[in-house]
Amino acid sequence: MNRRELFQKVLGTGAAVIAASVLRADAGAFNGPAGGTRGTQLVTILTGPFDTSSQPNGVRALTATPQFATYVRIQANPGQQGKIAIGRSVMATAPGNIADAAFVELWPNWDGTVDNGRSDTWIMSDPQWSNTINLADIYVWPEIAGETPVITAFQLV
Amino acid sequence: MLILTPSAAAGPLTVPGAPVPIATTSTLVNKLSVKPRLGQWSKVLVGGPNLLPDESTALAVLYPVPNGGQADAFVVQDQGGQNTIDLSQIFVYASIPGDTPMVEAFEYKTI
């Protein structure tokens, strides 16, 4: 097997693993270990572009049911043009400018010309790597409807 | 069950022209971040109860983000996993009265 064939084999195996995995946050019945506990394997429970357009005013909790993570990362999606507001539950019922109820705003990265192309990113982690961050307590609102921040959450199981 | 959740004190903090505490009563949290609000023109100072507008006693001086880019930030978190940061002892000043620096605070709660 030459180097090219080996590379293709590795890539093919990786793709199969990705296809076979099911994100745990997508399974409504899975709530993860109770907050405060931790396991030994770090798994992704939420990932990818996050669409809030189905929710009233475009404000959506990261998960509809409590899911406990140890690390959460929210990134402005490169190429999109609106700010991203991150807040708590009051953002879901905020009158007026919803960002006025947020605790963080991420600047958009529409063409890579700001901050040497780095996308603005918010990270929250438990300092002791316990699963204590309830994703259902964190809300996201894209300033421009339909835009999709990139969100990743990890849990120790 | 222990959870790490956004504090009720988190959100934009209106600064009327003089340094103000983030909370008026003792409020202990695990993590605190203060950032200038995107699009506003204030330089933001963070300090203790002795914070003065002239920067002489500030523990952080944050540049504004009027035209885009990642906001400068003051961030502190108790790595021991306790609520030890008292928001009533952290003061914020914005050089333009009425500006609203963004305060992010997370606290441990038992539910």
Side-chain angles (χ1 to χ4, degrees), chain A residues 115-135:
Chain A
D115 287 331
N116 294 319
R118 287 189 291 269
S119 295
D120 206 355
T121 300
W122 176 76
I123 291 173
M124 182 68 203
S125 63
D126 184 290
Q128 299 188 317
W129 290 92
S130 296
N131 296 312
T132 56
I133 305 168
N134 186 357
L135 300 183

Side-chain angles (χ1 to χ4, degrees), chain A residues 37-116:
Chain A
T37 64
R38 54 172 291 177
T40 55
Q41 184 184 3
L42 197 60
V43 300
T44 307
I45 58 170
L46 186 66
T47 189
F50 190 74
D51 185 5
T52 70
S53 59
S54 63
Q55 302 299 306
N57 296 326
V59 181
R60 182 181 173 191
L62 298 191
T63 57
T65 56
Q67 303 273 354
F68 298 99
T70 186
Y71 180 99
V72 185
R73 179 182 188 274
I74 301 178
Q75 173 196 333
N77 200 334
Q80 297 186 352
Q81 302 191 11
K83 286 186 281 190
I84 303 297
I86 303 168
R88 53 197 178 94
S89 59
V90 293
M91 210 164 72
T93 54
N97 181 5
I98 293 170
D100 287 344
F103 57 69
V104 169
E105 286 178 301
L106 303 181
W107 191 260
N109 179 17
W110 57 85
D111 63 359
T113 58
V114 176
D115 287 331
N116 294 319

Side-chain angles (χ1 to χ4, degrees), chain B residues 32-45:
Chain B
L32 167 67
S33 162
V34 180
K35 293 182 178 183
R37 188 158 183 191
L38 304 179
Q40 296 185 348
W41 290 76
S42 277
K43 191 189 284 186
V44 173
L45 311 184

Side-chain angles (χ1 to χ4, degrees), chain B residues 17-19 43-46 50-61 93-95:
Chain B
K43 191 189 284 186
V44 173
L45 311 184
V46 183
N50 64 341
L51 179 65
L52 297 172
D54 65 2
E55 303 181 14
S56 62
T57 55
L59 57 90
V61 180
Y93 172 73
S95 56

